Amino acid sequence: MVKSIPILALAISVLSASALAADSTPAVKEEVISAFETIAVQADGRFVSEWETKRRLLDASGRDKLATKTFRFNDQLSTLDVIEAETIKADGRRIQVQPDQIRLQEDPAATGMPVFSTSKQKSIIFPDIEVGDTIHYRVRKTQTESDFPGNFTYSDSFNPDERILAYKLVLKAPQSLNLRSEVSAMKEVRETDANGDKLWSWTFAQPDVRSFDDGKTDVFMNSPHVTVTTFANWEAIAHAYQARANDKVAVTPDIQTLADNLTRGVSDQREQTRILYNWVRTNVRYVALYLAQGGYVPHAAGDILRNRYGDCKDHVVLLEALLKAKGIDSHGVLIASGKLYKLTPEAIPDYFDHIISYVPALDLYLDSTAQYLPFGGQAYWLAGKSVLHVDASTGTRTTPAMTATDNKMSTSLTVSIGLDGSINGKLNELSHGGIAFDRRSVVAGVDPLRRSDVIKQLLARNGLNGKGEFTAGDPSSDDIGYPVDIGFSVEQTGLDLANPEALPIEMPMALGYSIADMTSFANDATEPHYGTGCAASDLTETYDITLPKEVAVQFLPKDLSVNDGPIQYRSTYKKDGQNIRVNRHYIMSIDKGYCSPDEVGHMKKAAIIIRQDLQRKVMLAPLSN
C-alpha cells in the first residue's frame, strides 16, 4: 500500500467530520430515474449480469460526471459489452452513442503507484447533454471465471445524497448454490421459478436526500444496501484465500541463505523478525500485479525475491518465507485500509483491500509495504480494524487501537521578537506512531535541495514572508520517535510594537497535527447516522517567546484545565522578565479507531472550549518613558 501525502502540509485531524449540516438538503446534480439489474449465477460461481439505467441531469455542474460512465472488468476473467446507450433529450429526441464514443482503456486503478493489471475499463461518452436530459444505457458483464471457484458474492449500497426513484435487482441461481443475503432499508422477496431455481429480488427508492460526507466510517453497513454471498462465514474466505497461497511460501535456497546472512549472530526471535521485516520493507518495491487471478493469488516467494518487487500479497509471502527459514511462524491478515472498522454481517471478500503480516509468537502485526513504518510502529490504517487471519484457526480479530501513548508529538517553538516585528525562531518536534509515519513519508518526498523553499511556502501560508531550513531524521530508520527541526526568520510579522498590540500564541507554519488541527472537528456539524474516524493522540506544545526590552506584557490569559471524558487539556501562561512561556497539553484517549455520533457530539463541547483558549492573546504595550 502506498500513501500520497502533501509536502509538509498534513491536514489530517483526529476527527474527520462533515463541514455540511447533517440535516441540510444537498444540491442534487443528477437522479436515477430507474436502475434494473439481473444476475444469472451458475453453480460454479460464474455469472452473467445485465443492468439497464436511466439517469437525468438536474444541475449543469454535474454534466461532466454524468456525460461519461465507466465500467471496470478483468479481461482475462470476464467480458463487458455495451448493448445500447443513448442520450434522451428533454423533448423526447434520442441520440444514439456511436461506436467511437465507447472507449476501451487500461484501468488507472492506482494513480501514483506502479501497476500492471489485466483490469480494463470501458467508458461510454454520451453526446449533447444538457440539464433535463437523460442518459440511458444497458450493459452486460459475463464472468467467465470466478475469483473463488464455486463461490459467488455481490454487494451494492447507496449513500444518503443519491436520489434514487426506482431500483430493482433480480438474482437467479440454482437451488444447489447455498446463498445467503443481508439487506438494509430494501425490500427483499425470495421466490422459486418454474425450473426450481432461486429467484430473489430487492427493490428500493430514495427520493429524499440529505448531505453526506464520504469521509465517514463504516458507510456500507449504515446505508441502504444488499449483500449476497455463498461464503458461510469469514473463516470460509480465509480458507479459500489460503488454499491458493499455501504453495507460494516455499523456502528456496536463496531465501534460506538471505535469512541466515541477515540474522547471523542473532538468536532472539523478535530481533530476527525485526531484521527480516526491515529488509523487506526497504528492499522490495511495491508494484501492483493484478494479472488474471493476481488480485487474490500471490506470486511465489522465490520469484519475488529474485525480482525485488511485488504487491501486498507478495510482501506477505516473502516475509513469511524468510521468517519460516528461521523457524518463526507468520501468516497473512486481510484488512480494509480505508475507514471500515466493523465487519459486514455476511462474509464478502471485497470487504478487504489489503493484506499484512502477523507473527503469533510476538502478537505483532506488520505491514512491509509501508516503507517508512518502523518495526513495531503504528499507522492509522492498521489501528482498531476488524481483520481476518488467513491461517487455519485464528479467524477474525481486531488489531490494537491507536493509543495516546503510541500516537503523540511534542513541539517546542522558541522565538525572539524584534522591536520592528521581525522574528527569529526554532521549531523542534518529536513525533511517534501514526503522526511519525506521516511525517516520515512527507520528508522522504521532499528534495533536500528544496527544503528552504518548503519552509518559505509554509510561512507564506500564514501570511509571513520569511525563510528557513529544516533537518529531519532518516525516514527509513527504525527509531520509533521521529524528529523534525526547523530554523526560520521573518522580517515582518505585522506586529506594531510601538503601540498596544495583541500577540497570538500559535505556530507560525502549518505542519499539521497541531492542537488546533486535532480539535477542528468542533467547527463541523455532527452527522447523526454515521461514525467518524478517531485517533487517540497526545500533543504537547511549548512556546518560549522573548520580547524586546522596550515592550511590556500588560495581560496574560488565565491557565485552563479541561477534563471531559476522553479529552484532557491543560494550558499555562507564565511571564519571567521579557520571556513568555506557554505550555499546552492535549490528550484525546479512546480505545478504538472510530467514534459514534454521540461520542463526537460530546467531545465537541470540550473541543470548543479548547479552541477558545487557543485563540486567546497576550496583550503587549510599549514601556512608558
Side-chain angles (χ1 to χ4, degrees):
M1 183 175 64
V2 175
K3 289 186 172 289
S4 176
I5 304 172
I7 293 177
L8 283 178
L10 301 171
I12 302 171
S13 62
V14 62
L15 296 169
S16 178
S18 173
L20 296 171
D23 58 354
S24 65
T25 301
V28 180
K29 299 180 180 181
E30 65 176 72
E31 64 183 3
V32 175
I33 299 173
S34 62
F36 179 57
E37 182 173 2
T38 60
I39 305 175
V41 187
Q42 300 181 33
D44 59 3
R46 293 180 296 165
F47 63 89
V48 177
S49 173
E50 186 170 311
W51 57 98
E52 183 172 8
T53 304
K54 290 182 178 179
R55 293 175 177 264
R56 179 161 47 215
L57 181 65
L58 302 178
D59 188 283
S61 63
R63 176 166 33 212
D64 290 345
K65 180 181 178 183
L66 185 72
T68 302
K69 287 301 168 187
T70 298
F71 309 91
R72 292 178 171 83
F73 66 103
N74 188 320
D75 70 352
Q76 290 194 14
L77 305 179
S78 60
T79 61
L80 189 137
D81 300 296
V82 178
I83 309 303
E84 60 178 317
E86 61 183 347
T87 299
I88 305 175
K89 302 295 291 180
D91 61 8
R93 289 181 295 118
R94 295 174 179 263
I95 305 174
Q96 298 297 317
V97 172
Q98 299 303 307
D100 64 350
Q101 294 171 316
I102 300 174
R103 305 293 179 86
L104 178 65
Q105 299 173 299
E106 298 294 328
D107 182 6
T111 302
M113 65 178 72
V115 177
F116 299 93
S117 172
T118 51
S119 179
K120 299 292 189 294
Q121 65 177 30
K122 189 168 287 189
S123 297
I124 307 173
I125 305 171
F126 292 88
D128 192 13
I129 299 293
E130 297 177 300
V131 173
D133 295 346
T134 298
I135 64 169
H136 169 228
Y137 54 88
R138 188 156 61 97
V139 177
R140 180 187 300 128
K141 178 181 179 181
T142 302
Q143 190 77 14
T144 56
E145 184 178 349
S146 176
D147 289 327
F148 292 98
N151 286 285
F152 169 81
T153 61
Y154 173 90
S155 63
D156 199 3
S157 70
F158 300 93
N159 288 348
D161 58 357
E162 297 180 84
R163 180 175 292 167
I164 312 293
L165 303 184
Y167 167 91
K168 186 172 185 179
L169 168 66
V170 177
L171 184 144
K172 180 180 179 181
Q175 282 290 345
S176 60
L177 203 59
N178 187 20
L179 290 176
R180 306 161 63 92
S181 72
E182 189 269 329
V183 64
S184 175
M186 293 185 180
K187 181 181 179 181
E188 179 181 70
V189 176
R190 296 190 181 188
E191 299 176 319
T192 302
D193 69 6
N195 297 321
D197 290 333
K198 295 176 180 178
L199 193 65
W200 294 2
S201 65
W202 297 265
T203 54
F204 171 70
Q206 185 172 267
D208 299 322
V209 297
R210 58 186 178 83
S211 294
F212 178 73
D213 171 23
D214 288 334
K216 296 304 177 185
T217 62
D218 296 317
V219 171
F220 180 89
M221 284 76 81
N222 294 298
S223 300
H225 66 263
V226 57
T227 295
V228 185
T229 181
T230 56
F231 287 102
N233 49 44
W234 294 103
E235 286 73 15
I237 293 177
H239 290 310
Y241 180 93
Q242 190 67 358
R244 310 181 78 177
N246 269 334
D247 63 346
K248 310 299 182 182
V249 195
V251 179
T252 65
D254 287 344
I255 288 174
Q256 186 68 58
T257 298
L258 177 62
D260 290 341
N261 288 341
L262 290 172
T263 61
R264 192 177 308 280
V266 177
S267 59
D268 178 72
Q269 282 199 341
R270 183 179 182 86
E271 181 62 13
Q272 289 180 337
T273 303
R274 184 190 69 82
I275 292 170
L276 297 175
Y277 164 78
N278 281 341
W279 188 90
V280 174
R281 75 176 172 99
T282 57
N283 288 278
V284 180
R285 292 181 295 120
Y286 183 96
V287 177
L289 299 167
Y290 304 136
L291 306 176
Q293 292 287 1
Y296 292 100
V297 182
H299 297 84
D303 294 338
I304 302 163
L305 176 61
R306 182 166 52 254
N307 295 325
R308 300 289 179 94
Y309 62 74
D311 61 15
C312 57
K313 304 180 300 298
D314 299 329
H315 272 248
V316 167
V317 163
L318 178 56
L319 180 57
E320 185 175 351
L322 287 167
L323 291 171
K324 186 177 180 181
K326 302 307 298 180
I328 302 171
D329 179 50
S330 71
H331 58 261
V333 175
L334 294 167
I335 187 172
S337 62
K339 294 183 179 180
L340 294 174
Y341 294 88
K342 302 175 185 177
L343 292 174
T344 52
E346 293 292 345
I348 50 174
D350 287 350
Y351 176 89
F352 304 107
D353 64 355
H354 191 43
I355 186 167
I356 59 177
S357 301
Y358 179 70
V359 184
L362 305 178
D363 190 21
L364 188 62
Y365 294 90
L366 301 169
D367 187 352
S368 62
T369 68
Q371 183 179 355
Y372 305 115
L373 184 62
F375 179 76
Q378 269 280 32
Y380 292 110
W381 72 90
L382 300 177
K385 292 295 189 70
S386 294
V387 295
L388 177 60
H389 290 242
V390 299
D391 63 329
S393 59
T394 305
T396 59
R397 288 178 58 177
T398 302
T399 60
M402 188 84 71
T403 69
T405 302
D406 298 324
N407 195 44
K408 61 184 179 180
M409 182 168 69
S410 61
T411 305
S412 174
L413 176 68
T414 303
V415 297
S416 176
I417 303 179
L419 189 59
D420 59 356
S422 63
I423 60 174
N424 287 285
K426 295 187 298 180
L427 190 152
N428 309 100
E429 68 170 36
L430 181 65
S431 58
H432 297 75
I435 301 174
F437 172 78
D438 287 343
R439 282 287 192 267
R440 291 169 182 267
S441 301
V442 168
V443 170
V446 176
D447 184 340
L449 298 178
R450 290 195 59 241
R451 289 187 172 186
S452 59
D453 295 335
V454 169
I455 301 304
K456 186 175 181 179
Q457 293 168 10
L458 291 172
L459 289 167
R461 289 178 185 174
N462 276 15
L464 301 174
N465 182 16
K467 60 183 180 180
E469 295 282 351
F470 78 87
T471 59
D474 177 3
S476 298
S477 75
D478 212 17
D479 299 327
I480 295 298
Y482 188 70
V484 175
D485 301 308
I486 300 172
F488 65 96
S489 63
V490 177
E491 292 182 3
Q492 180 53 255
T493 61
L495 290 172
D496 180 11
L497 298 183
N499 294 288
E501 182 66 277
L503 176 68
I505 307 299
E506 60 187 8
M507 294 295 168
M509 58 192 81
L511 301 182
Y513 295 109
S514 68
I515 296 174
D517 294 328
M518 302 299 253
T519 56
S520 63
F521 68 93
N523 297 327
D524 300 328
T526 301
E527 162 61 63
H529 301 282
Y530 297 84
T532 192
C534 287
S537 57
D538 183 331
L539 305 175
T540 300
E541 296 177 2
T542 302
Y543 301 79
D544 276 298
I545 304 168
T546 301
L547 301 172
K549 64 181 185 301
E550 297 88 352
V551 175
V553 176
Q554 287 193 324
F555 170 80
L556 278 177
K558 293 182 179 179
D559 297 350
L560 176 66
S561 181
V562 176
N563 191 343
D564 191 352
I567 290 184
Q568 299 174 43
Y569 174 78
R570 178 168 174 76
S571 64
T572 59
Y573 300 84
K574 300 183 184 301
K575 172 184 174 297
D576 182 10
Q578 296 304 107
N579 182 259
I580 299 170
R581 184 175 180 86
V582 178
N583 184 270
R584 293 167 174 162
H585 188 196
Y586 169 85
I587 299 176
M588 198 286 277
S589 55
I590 198 160
D591 60 357
K592 54 186 177 179
Y594 62 93
C595 296
S596 70
D598 288 344
E599 289 170 324
V600 174
H602 182 81
M603 288 192 293
K604 283 177 64 174
K605 299 174 184 177
I608 289 171
I609 296 172
I610 293 168
R611 291 182 68 80
Q612 290 172 344
D613 184 65
L614 298 179
Q615 294 166 12
R616 293 190 172 97
K617 298 177 176 63
V618 176
M619 301 305 296
L620 307 177
L623 286 169
S624 57
N625 294 328

